[in-house]
Structures are given as C-alpha cells and as structure tokens.
Amino acid sequence: MSGTRNMLAAPIAVFSSLRLTVLLLGLCMILIFWATLLQVQMGIHEVQLRYFRAWIAWFDVVPGEKSFPIPFPGGMLLGALLLLNLLAAHIRRFKLRWEKAGMILVHTGIVLMLLGELFTALLSEESQMRLDEGQTSNHSASPREIELAVISRDMDGIETVNAIPFSRLADGSDFAFDGFDLRVLRFFRNSEIQDARLADGSFDPMRADKGMGATLAVREKPRETAMDLRDLSSAFVEIRLADGTPLGRWLLSNALAGVERFDAGGKTWKMSIRQKRFYHPFSIRLLDFTHERYLGTQIPKNFSSRIRLLNPGEGEDRETLIYMNHPLRYGGLTFYQAGFDNDDSTSILQVVRNPAWTMPYVSCAMVGIGLVWIFSQHLIKAIRRRRRSEP
Amino acid sequence: MNTLARIVPWLIPALCVVALAAWSWRAMRPSGDGFDLEGFATLPVVSNGRIQPLDSLARNRLLSIQGKQRVPGENPPPSPAGWLAELAFTPQQADKRPIFPIHHDEVLGQFELKQEDGKSFSFLQLVPRLGEMSGEVSRIATKDPQIRSPYEKAMMQLWKSLGSYQQLKFSIAHPESAGLESDLTLLVEKAREAKGEEQKRARGEPFAAALTDAAGARMKVLSEWSTQTEVFTKPPAMGKLASEWRKLPDAAVDAIGQEELDPSTLAFARMGDAWRKGDPAAFNTALSGYSEWLATHRPDDLGKAHAETVFNRLAPFYTCMAVYTLAFLCALLSWLGAGHALRTAAFRVLLVGLAIHTAGLIVRMLLEGRPPVTNLYSSAIFIGWGAIALSVLLELFYKNAIGTAVAAITGFSTLIIAHHLSLSGDTLEMMRAVLDTNFWLATHVVIITLGYSATFLAGIIGISYILIRPFWNIPESVATQLRGMAYGVICFATLASFVGTVLGGIWADQSWGRFWGWDPKENGALLIVIWNAMILHARWGGMIRERGLMVMAVFGNIVTSWSWFGTNMLGIGLHSYGFTDAAFLWLSAFIGSQLLVMAAGFLPGKRKPSAPIQAVS
C-alpha cells in the first residue's frame, strides 16, 4: 500500500506544483491573445476549432505563402493539464478545514466550468430556423455544415430522407441506394459558380449533363472566414442504375435553390446539397415579426417574434413571444432571436441544444462565493494584524 | 504651527468648495443680450432617438464637428444654444464662423486651402469645394471602412460634419423662408383652399387649377424639408408615447387638417422671425408661451430637458478633474514634510471630488434610466469612480496619503479618456437592442468595470512603487503597506473580473445562445481574470515577492487596456459596436510606457533589493 503511495508521490509532486499552475496560466494567456488576433483573418469559428478546441495549436510564425507553423499547446491540452494540476494539488494538500473551504469551493467551481466547456464542445448543437411570417417549420438547419440529401417518396406521400454528412463527401466517394449508385466525382468545400460560357481556365473542366447545373462551371474557393458568410459547397455527382447504366451527371450545390429529380428502382428521387437539417418532434409557426427602431434613427430598439408552438404529440398548441434577451426554452432546445431578413418579414431563430447549459451558472456561484470567502479571511487577518500593531 | 495644523485640514477643502460654488454660479449666470437663450436651450426635442434639450443637440454637434463646445472667432455666440439659434435663424451669419477643422494635408491640398495658424474653416469657405468633395466621397463610400486610408477617413469625417451642420439648419426653421410664421400660416390656409378646389374637381365642377398646383408645389417643399432634418420638434399630445414626436415640416402638414399651427411650430416660427428682426421681447414672449404650454402638456419632457441642460452647464466631470489635481498636489506636499494636516486635507478634497463624481453619475443614470455603464464613455467615467471609491477604502485603512494620490491620478486620467471619447457625439445615446436590459447592464457590465478599476488601481500602485524606488529609500513600514494595498486590490480585481466575466457568459447564453464564444471582448476579459489569478498563484507559491508583485501589477494595466480598447479595434465579433479609431496610437503609446515602467522595475533600488524574481520553471 505504501509502495503505491511512493510511486505516485513523484508525479503528484510535479503535477501539484504552483509553478506548473503559473506556467499553464501563462501559456493560456499567450494562446488566447494570439488566437484573438488571428480571428481577424481566420474568423471566429475556424479559430475555435484550430486553437481552443484542439490539443495542439499550430501558429504560423511567418504568415503568407511560405508558412512556418510551430506547435503550441492547444486549449484542450492546457485545460486538461490545468485540471490535472488542480486535482493533484488538492489530493496532495487536501485538509477538510473551514479555512480551506473557500479554496476547495473555488477550485471545484473552476473544474465544473472547464468540464462544462468540454461538454459544450462535445455535445452542443447549433442550428437556425428561418421562418417567413405565416410559415410553419419542424426543422432547423446548421448555418455552417452541409449534407447531401437523397429523398424518396412512397405511394402514401411519406418521404424518406437519406442524409450523407459532409464528412463523408470527397472526390470519388460512392454510395449505394435501393436501385442505384451515387458517386461523388468532384467535391468543393467552398466554391464559386458561374455561367460556363464566361468561365476561364481557373474553373474546373467538369460539367454536368443533367439538371439546372448543366450550363454552369465551378471553381474551388478558400473557406469563408467572415461571421456572416457561409461556404457554398458544390459537387458533381453521377447516378448509375443497379445494372450499370449511367443516368447522368448533376451539379449539386447549396448555392442553387431547388432539388434535382430522377427516377430509379420504380421510385422518384430528389437530391440536393443543403444546410444540414435537424428535425424536431414539434413545429413552430411565425405569426408576426417586429423590428422596432428608435425614432428617427436606424438604431434597433427591439426584435421580437410572436410564434405559435404546435406539438400534437403532447397536445400543445400555444402562442409565445421570443425577443432579445428572452429566449424560448422548449424540448431541450433553446430558441433565440438571432436575426431577420426580407424587409422585416422573415425571422431567424438560433436553435441551440446544450445539455450542459446550467453548469456555468452553478460554477459561477461556487467560485464567486469561494472567492468572497477567501478574501474576507484575508481582510479579517489584515484587520487583526493592524489592531495588534496599534497600541 | 499647531493652529495651522488644525486649520489646514478644513481650510483647503473649504476653499475648494467655495471655488466650486463660484464657478457653478458663473456657469449658471444668464448670458446673451436680451434673448432668453437659457430658456431656448432648455426646449426639448427628439434627436438621435431620445428626448434632449436643444442645449445638448448644439453641444454634441459642436463637439463632433470641431472637438470643443465653444465657437471660435470674433463676437462668438454666448452659448452653444446661441450658436444653434444663429445657425437655424440667420444661417448666412453662422456660415462665416470657422468651425470646420481640417488637419490632413492631402484634404487641404485637394481643395487648395491653406492652414493659417491652425485656424478652422467656415462653411462659406468650403461651399465652392462641395461639388468636387461629393465626387470624392461617393468614390470612398464604396470602400470598406476598415481599409480606408487616413486621407479618406479625414475626407469622410469632414463630409459627415458638413452633413450634420446642414441638417441643423433645417431643424427648427427653413433657411429660404423670409417670414417663418407668415409662410407657414399661408401654406396651411392655401392648402385648405386647395383642398376645397380638389373636392370640386372630384365632383366634376370647374376648379382653380392655379391654386391646387401652387399647393402641390408647397407640399413638395415641405416633404423635401422633412428629409433634410433628423430633429423632431413637435411633442405628442399629453400622455402619448415618445415615438409620436413629429418633425417641424411634418407638423405643418398635420396643421392643414386641423384649425391652426401647433404651439411648438408656431413658437419656433415666431422665435425665428424675432431673432431675424433683432427683437428680444418678441422672442422671449414666444418662448415663454411655449414653455408654459410644455409645463402643462409635457411636464416630464420639459423637466428632463431642464435637468440635462443644468447638467451640461455645470459639467461635473470637468470640475472633478480640477479637484483631483488639487487632491494630488496636497498628497504630494504631505510627503514632502507637511505631514498629517495636508494628508487629511488631501483626503477631504478627494472626497469633495468623489461626491461631485458620484452626483454626476447619478444624474446621468436618472437621465438615461439606466445603470451607470452603457457605452465606452460611461465606462471611462465609471472606471475612474470605482478606482477612487476603492482608494478611499485603502486610505481609510492605511492613512498614508498613497490611496489619495493614486485615486487622484486614476480619476484624472480616466476623465481625460472620457473627454476624448465624448468627442464622438451624444454620450447619452440609446442602447442597441441586445444591450437593452437593465439587469445585465447592472450586473455584468458594472461588476466587470469594477474589475477594470481594481486592476488599473493595482497597476498604478505598482507604477508608484517602481518609480519611487530608485530615488527614495522606501522604509520597511511603507513597503509593507504598499504590498498590502497592491495585494488587497488584486484580490478584489480577481473577484470582480471573474464574476463579471462569468456573468457576461451567462448573459451571452441568455441572449444569443452560447455561454462562451471566444469573442475578442470575452477573451480580453478572460485575460484579466487569468492574469490576476497568475499574480496570486505566483505570490502564494513564493515565485515573486514585493518587486515581482509590483511589476506584474503594472502588466495588469496592459492587459486591462487591451480588453477595454484593444479588442474593440479588431473590429470583429459581437462586441465590436464600441469601435474607436484614433485611439490606436494612444493605446500603443500607453502599452509602451507600461513596458518601460516594468523594465524600470528591474533597476536596482535604493533599498536593499528584495529577493530576485525567480524564473518560472
């Protein structure tokens, strides 16, 4: 038993040192500062993925053509090490005494907060619901991620949606369906589409022979970084029937509105590249969107969406108002007023699923109370010292 | 000597209060030659989305056009409101006043203008260049503001100033109208006659086409006039919403359907005519009639406008700057040997300053109906206030005049920063939708701003320590006190910045659906928390001692200024609505100066140096 304790002593001593804490905090500061600057070129989402939610962050020392990336501990690594450091320190010095209660409370709160951020990174889903006034919808769409949807419709009018996620789309990837094969010939993560007659040599030579993309040409573009722009993904896909007969080549893109149709295996199919969809067991109808401005200015005063919540499964059918700083929490999702469009007749709701959303509230309260506890102890000590020193 | 020691602690603050009273009396003294410009200044209008007195309208326009409220030149108007009256009623006179500063050489060169002794240019001088300027402006307008050159920015700024100057001309009068009252009355009468003719036409009877055509032309003038101003002059009827204020030309159109012009329109027209004729009596009669009408029909608006006018004229935050300077001088002298008496005097003067500062903050809160921090300007005012309030506690605890001195320095510098931020226009502006919540402004914004205050305060204690050390053998007792002060303030800073930052996250979760988005402003706040936590851990781990604590506290200034201003300069993210442009150079200079001070912290001191800062392994 004591042997195990000795074996653990050395790593615990290293991991529990305050020096390590200070070093890790310093590294965090460098990472955060550097990554903040990089947001100007790279955009906030890319920076999150590459620096804060990464184990190793690669920084370009010489930005531009001849890049020279150097590795730096990423947010995940620093968070994990801080967590280890904290746990080790508390294991080593743990004493259940009132004087230590503040310290324990603060650090438990911080552990909770780090874990909350981790769970959020792993579990949370963000999407948007776009509603015109009077429109009802039961799904929201990811603003960034796309999918290739292949939809069949049976006799009763029930649609079956097959969604191929973005991660599986690549040049040459093949998907077998009931009665046909779909092959992705070319995939462009972000692209520009133009009339084929005006396209120069920088455009891909491939053309479609079916559908609305038959007269268009595509070229690859660097990923979008601005917060308000999204990637336009495109793909040339080929459909072959089960007997090997080619049916044609289509250009699909989320830049093109509408779907492509074809017949195979005795059914009519629809396909399109669209923003990844999340279906909900209830629907929302937008009754009215209002956008108030202060008199004589363009300064927005309030945005609000009056909606009707329809959940036949639960027998719910009620009205509610979503506006700035007052989201709707329903069915494990939260709906926020995020934007508007079409001359104030379309409302955009942000839809967030974050099972860990309460953790920051709890941890904030713990750390706050803990800090007040610690610092009032310091203050009381200081006052006592003064009393003693004064005659 | 003994009597002097008894008198001084009361005498200096008393003299300070007397001087302040005299200054206030002078500021409130009526000015002008017969025209009741004070009453005129108090009239409420709606501009920039809020009810404000003509006084604020005039002051803020002058500030954003020329960076000061006083109009230069010979025979200047007695007050900003006097300038506004002149601009609206006798624009040919106002157009001669040199109020447009042009500093950029290329802009000057473009218009073949020469700068004479740093003097500004008048509208009259710029008129011949307007055509050429508008060509340049429409070219620049297509460019992204982020990538405009300094010349292009200067050009756009000048164009904006000229635009807002022109708009004021149309706010309460029309420059082309010879007799305002007669023109407006005639217009209403003729429009009514034309209406009768229109009805005849509708019935197929013969009608006077000349009458309807003339009325149509007049209506066109009114609708054009309405687009030329953004000031709303006609208050709604009693009990109606503030969003129902009307512009003067629109009010004239409304009058066609009613029997006569409404009291506000009539009053402005009569005041304009009287001003042009140089008839103070007629001006004052029209003014007092309208004021009485307001007092019965819109008492709240009038009261608010009156309070804001008094606030503008007393300018409490400018007064504070003088008071803090006096407090600092007294504290300085107290160390040079004058001792206890001056120390107490300095502290009392500081309290006078703090009282005015607090009163100013409260009046601003009442005027806005909001917590103290709503924009960058008010954050500067509040950071100063917070730092001073904390220093007062330090001074009560340590009684060594250090608290007073650092409070005075922080107060003075933050108010200077606030002054420069006020140049961008109306500091009581309305809040954008997402910010429109008193709860989160009162909790997140106020607490995080207190965190800024405390971090700056610790930094200034650090600077004082580092700068004194090479010249003065700091006695152990004073060193202990300084250490204790810096440490205590850093503890408070950690608490306030942590709680403030997390509350910000919770607000973000409430309003746009994620607790933490790594937005620049959020990251900046987090950096302050981490830096303060680092100082505390380094201290607890024995990695730093006295000097290390002070040097690290100074770096806190850099971290905080980055979070406060630097992140806004990136111009990205959800928090970038507080963007400031020219502040970049100042921020760089500030950061440079702090680095120099930190370097100076490594110089050997007079006292036996404390144990060297050990490198972090």
Side-chain angles (χ1 to χ4, degrees):
Chain A
M1 189 65 202
S2 74
T4 338
R5 193 169 286 175
N6 281 342
M7 265 169 64
L8 280 175
I12 284 184
V14 174
F15 270 105
S16 65
S17 82
L18 274 173
R19 273 163 203 279
L20 181 66
T21 315
V22 171
L23 173 72
L24 289 175
L25 289 176
L27 291 174
C28 281
M29 286 190 72
I30 297 171
L31 176 76
I32 293 169
F33 179 70
W34 208 334
T36 308
L37 291 185
L38 283 173
Q39 289 185 10
V40 179
Q41 301 138 27
M42 215 178 269
I44 212 160
H45 289 271
E46 194 67 13
V47 163
Q48 272 192 39
L49 288 178
R50 281 170 58 173
Y51 299 98
F52 297 123
R53 291 183 176 169
W55 290 90
I56 302 290
W58 292 91
F59 284 115
D60 271 343
V61 181
V62 195
E65 290 288 302
K66 282 182 188 163
S67 66
F68 179 69
I70 53 159
F72 196 85
M76 290 292 237
L77 184 57
L78 287 176
L81 288 175
L82 272 171
L83 215 56
L84 271 179
N85 177 232
L86 204 58
L87 292 176
H90 277 268
I91 290 170
R92 189 170 148 203
R93 309 200 190 96
F94 185 78
K95 278 182 206 127
L96 199 58
R97 284 215 311 263
W98 278 117
E99 299 94 276
K100 292 280 170 193
M103 252 342 153
I104 293 170
L105 204 56
V106 167
H107 289 127
T108 319
I110 287 174
V111 169
L112 268 186
M113 188 166 291
L114 289 174
L115 289 179
E117 183 56 19
L118 179 71
F119 291 150
T120 304
L122 295 177
L123 303 175
S124 76
E125 271 171 10
E126 276 193 43
S127 56
Q128 286 186 340
M129 189 181 266
R130 236 185 116 88
L131 289 164
D132 298 331
E133 282 177 333
Q135 191 191 349
T136 311
S137 173
N138 69 339
H139 62 260
S140 48
S142 163
R144 256 151 246 288
E145 273 184 73
I146 53 115
E147 63 187 9
L148 201 168
V150 185
I151 302 168
S152 68
R153 195 185 168 97
D154 69 10
M155 291 307 186
D156 303 325
I158 291 174
E159 291 192 334
T160 310
V161 179
N162 302 279
I164 304 168
F166 151 71
S167 55
R168 295 192 49 198
L169 296 174
D171 290 3
S173 50
D174 230 333
F175 305 93
F177 285 88
D178 181 20
F180 66 93
D181 260 2
L182 184 153
R183 175 188 276 266
V184 177
L185 300 171
R186 275 269 195 291
F187 179 67
F188 309 86
R189 182 75 183 91
N190 188 24
S191 59
E192 187 185 336
I193 297 185
Q194 207 184 35
D195 192 320
R197 285 167 300 180
L198 304 171
D200 58 20
S202 65
F203 281 80
D204 196 280
M206 190 173 282
R207 299 283 184 272
D209 55 18
K210 283 272 173 66
M212 56 188 149
T215 57
L216 301 173
V218 185
R219 75 169 155 199
E220 187 93 45
K221 258 179 63 176
R223 306 281 310 273
E224 289 294 351
T225 57
M227 296 243 330
D228 50 348
L229 292 179
R230 61 178 198 204
D231 287 333
L232 296 175
S233 304
S234 306
F236 285 105
V237 299
E238 192 176 54
I239 305 286
R240 270 171 198 279
L241 294 177
D243 58 9
T245 340
L247 209 56
R249 185 189 291 162
W250 280 266
L251 169 63
L252 304 179
S253 171
N254 59 337
L256 303 171
V259 292
E260 300 290 357
R261 279 165 222 273
F262 61 93
D263 291 310
K267 278 193 250 183
T268 298
W269 297 79
K270 293 191 283 187
M271 64 178 172
S272 63
I273 285 185
R274 64 186 192 187
Q275 301 310 119
K276 182 181 172 186
R277 279 193 188 176
F278 300 89
Y279 289 92
H280 310 300
F282 54 87
S283 41
I284 285 181
R285 180 184 305 146
L286 178 65
L287 302 175
D288 186 30
F289 174 73
T290 45
H291 176 189
E292 291 171 64
R293 298 174 180 83
Y294 290 104
L295 184 62
T297 68
Q298 288 302 313
I299 307 173
K301 189 178 180 191
N302 193 22
F303 310 102
S304 61
S305 296
R306 176 151 284 283
I307 57 140
R308 191 153 195 99
L309 186 65
L310 306 152
N311 190 347
E314 303 283 323
E316 273 187 83
D317 183 354
R318 61 186 167 98
E319 269 184 33
T320 184
L321 189 68
I322 299 174
Y323 59 108
M324 279 288 150
N325 296 314
H326 293 82
L328 164 74
R329 293 194 194 271
Y330 185 77
L333 298 168
T334 317
F335 294 82
Y336 306 85
Q337 184 66 55
F340 55 93
D341 205 349
N342 287 339
D343 203 13
D344 294 351
S345 68
T346 299
S347 175
I348 301 169
L349 300 175
Q350 186 84 1
V351 185
V352 180
R353 180 190 299 282
N354 182 11
W357 73 274
T358 46
M359 285 178 80
Y361 292 71
V362 178
S363 62
C364 171
M366 289 173 72
V367 179
I369 295 169
L371 285 177
V372 171
W373 184 286
I374 298 172
F375 296 145
S376 18
Q377 279 178 327
H378 283 324
L379 191 64
I380 292 166
K381 253 189 235 161
I383 292 172
R384 280 201 192 128
R385 249 203 317 271
R386 250 180 83 84
R387 288 242 174 89
R388 271 203 301 276
S389 67
E390 273 172 6
Chain B
M1 188 61 209
N2 221 349
T3 12
L4 199 63
R6 263 206 310 274
I7 293 173
V8 163
W10 288 110
L11 184 67
I12 296 179
L15 283 178
C16 174
V17 170
V18 169
L20 286 173
W23 187 87
S24 311
W25 178 79
R26 218 180 134 244
M28 294 308 292
R29 198 182 46 176
S31 57
D33 35 7
F35 289 99
D36 179 11
L37 285 174
E38 282 65 44
F40 176 74
T42 309
L43 293 180
V45 292
V46 169
S47 172
N48 200 21
R50 71 182 187 93
I51 296 170
Q52 53 181 299
L54 287 176
D55 187 60
S56 294
L57 183 65
R59 282 175 197 269
N60 291 331
R61 283 297 157 93
L62 281 172
L63 266 183
S64 65
I65 291 173
Q66 53 162 14
K68 56 187 176 195
Q69 297 182 344
R70 199 174 45 79
V71 178
E74 288 166 30
N75 265 332
S79 65
W83 169 77
L84 176 64
E86 182 185 90
L87 178 62
F89 300 142
T90 47
Q92 60 285 1
Q93 227 165 312
D95 285 348
K96 291 183 206 146
R97 302 211 180 267
I99 63 162
F100 295 97
I102 302 177
H103 299 300
H104 202 279
D105 284 338
E106 282 175 60
V107 180
L108 287 168
Q110 174 111 16
F111 303 120
E112 292 171 28
L113 293 168
K114 277 214 183 73
Q115 191 128 31
E116 294 161 23
D117 331 316
K119 260 173 82 178
S120 297
F121 299 90
S122 70
F123 187 73
L124 215 54
Q125 282 173 290
L126 296 174
V127 162
R129 276 102 181 166
L130 286 181
E132 199 182 336
M133 202 183 286
S134 98
E136 264 299 89
V137 165
S138 41
R139 177 186 70 79
I140 300 167
T142 58
K143 276 179 87 172
D144 179 2
Q146 301 269 340
I147 54 165
R148 286 178 193 160
S149 68
Y151 153 74
E152 289 169 334
K153 283 180 184 164
M155 189 64 120
M156 290 309 268
Q157 179 58 41
L158 178 61
W159 186 252
K160 207 180 124 215
S161 295
L162 287 166
S164 70
Y165 177 85
Q166 279 299 81
Q167 277 203 340
L168 273 195
K169 278 186 190 167
F170 291 89
S171 57
I172 51 174
H174 197 291
E176 309 282 303
S177 159
L180 290 164
E181 188 186 354
S182 55
D183 275 358
L184 284 172
T185 321
L186 189 73
L187 185 139
V188 171
E189 274 169 20
K190 293 285 177 194
R192 208 170 291 136
E193 280 173 30
K195 230 183 201 171
E197 296 300 314
E198 282 288 347
Q199 283 163 357
K200 277 189 205 164
R201 178 159 78 168
R203 289 194 297 268
E205 294 167 22
F207 69 101
L211 262 178
T212 53
D213 290 351
R218 286 200 191 88
M219 293 303 281
K220 211 175 147 211
V221 171
L222 281 184
S223 69
E224 254 171 41
W225 181 2
S226 178
T227 61
Q228 281 162 314
T229 176
E230 282 176 0
V231 177
F232 296 71
T233 52
K234 182 195 158 196
M238 206 173 355
K240 284 283 175 62
L241 288 176
S243 57
E244 291 176 34
W245 279 73
R246 303 277 286 160
K247 294 177 187 176
L248 197 142
D250 298 336
V253 175
D254 294 348
I256 296 168
Q258 291 143 7
E259 285 304 301
E260 54 185 2
L261 287 171
D262 72 283
S264 68
T265 312
L266 200 59
F268 282 117
R270 284 183 181 159
M271 283 190 278
D273 290 338
W275 181 276
R276 288 175 182 179
K277 282 190 217 126
D279 181 354
F283 183 93
N284 295 348
T285 314
L287 173 64
S288 65
Y290 180 44
S291 299
E292 275 163 33
W293 184 88
L294 280 169
T296 44
H297 291 83
R298 302 292 295 181
D300 291 351
D301 295 349
L302 184 66
K304 194 171 163 282
H306 185 74
E308 190 170 327
T309 313
V310 173
F311 180 78
N312 287 342
R313 299 178 79 179
L314 290 179
F317 300 124
Y318 290 104
T319 326
C320 280
M321 283 162 50
V323 179
Y324 292 146
T325 313
L326 180 65
F328 180 71
L329 288 177
C330 292
L332 208 60
L333 288 175
S334 80
W335 296 325
L336 296 178
H340 180 71
L342 267 177
R343 188 191 71 71
T344 317
F347 184 59
R348 286 179 184 155
V349 172
L350 181 78
L351 289 183
V352 171
L354 182 63
I356 300 170
H357 203 144
T358 314
L361 268 176
I362 292 174
V363 172
R364 269 187 64 91
M365 284 168 68
L366 291 176
L367 286 175
E368 267 194 303
R370 298 249 170 239
V373 189
T374 52
N375 52 18
L376 262 181
Y377 168 83
S378 54
S379 74
I381 302 266
F382 190 74
I383 286 175
W385 183 87
I388 292 163
L390 283 174
S391 323
V392 165
L393 296 180
L394 289 181
E395 184 63 29
L396 286 173
F397 196 82
Y398 289 103
K399 297 191 174 45
N400 53 8
I402 296 174
T404 307
V406 291
I409 296 171
T410 333
F412 187 81
S413 351
T414 49
L415 289 177
I416 286 271
I417 293 172
H419 164 72
H420 285 281
L421 289 171
S422 74
L423 300 186
S424 61
D426 190 2
T427 64
L428 290 162
E429 68 206 333
M430 303 310 288
M431 314 288 309
R432 294 183 171 273
V434 70
L435 299 173
D436 190 8
T437 150
N438 282 349
F439 177 75
W440 293 112
L441 284 174
T443 51
H444 159 62
V445 180
V446 165
I447 294 175
I448 203 151
T449 314
L450 281 176
Y452 287 11
S453 297
T455 316
F456 275 133
L457 185 60
I460 288 177
I461 295 171
I463 294 176
S464 317
Y465 171 88
I466 290 171
L467 294 186
I468 295 171
R469 215 174 52 99
F471 308 107
W472 185 45
N473 181 6
I474 303 176
E476 184 52 39
S477 62
V478 176
T480 315
Q481 286 181 346
L482 277 170
R483 226 165 38 222
M485 289 166 85
Y487 181 75
V489 173
I490 289 169
C491 284
F492 180 81
T494 312
L495 174 67
S497 53
F498 177 84
V499 174
T501 304
V502 178
L503 284 174
I506 292 177
W507 181 8
D509 182 52
Q510 292 280 325
S511 83
W512 48 71
R514 82 285 180 292
F515 173 73
W516 196 260
W518 302 103
D519 170 84
K521 199 82 179 173
E522 291 169 345
N523 291 351
L526 184 61
L527 287 178
I528 300 180
V529 180
I530 299 182
W531 182 249
N532 281 315
M534 255 175 93
I535 302 181
L536 292 180
H537 285 91
R539 178 93 187 103
W540 294 331
M543 281 160 262
I544 53 165
R545 299 198 182 170
E546 185 176 299
R547 192 161 58 150
L549 181 75
M550 299 300 182
V551 171
M552 283 183 89
V554 176
F555 189 72
N557 284 343
I558 297 180
V559 180
T560 316
S561 61
W562 163 257
S563 174
W564 190 15
F565 283 114
T567 51
N568 293 8
M569 291 168 194
L570 290 174
I572 44 165
L574 295 158
H575 281 88
S576 57
Y577 26 69
F579 186 79
T580 49
D581 209 342
F584 180 72
L585 277 178
W586 284 105
L587 180 68
S588 312
F590 176 74
I591 291 177
S593 71
Q594 300 305 293
L595 290 173
L596 277 180
V597 171
M598 287 171 68
F602 293 97
L603 293 176
K606 271 221 154 185
R607 194 159 69 93
K608 192 170 74 65
S610 60
I613 299 159
Q614 297 170 29
V616 175
S617 58

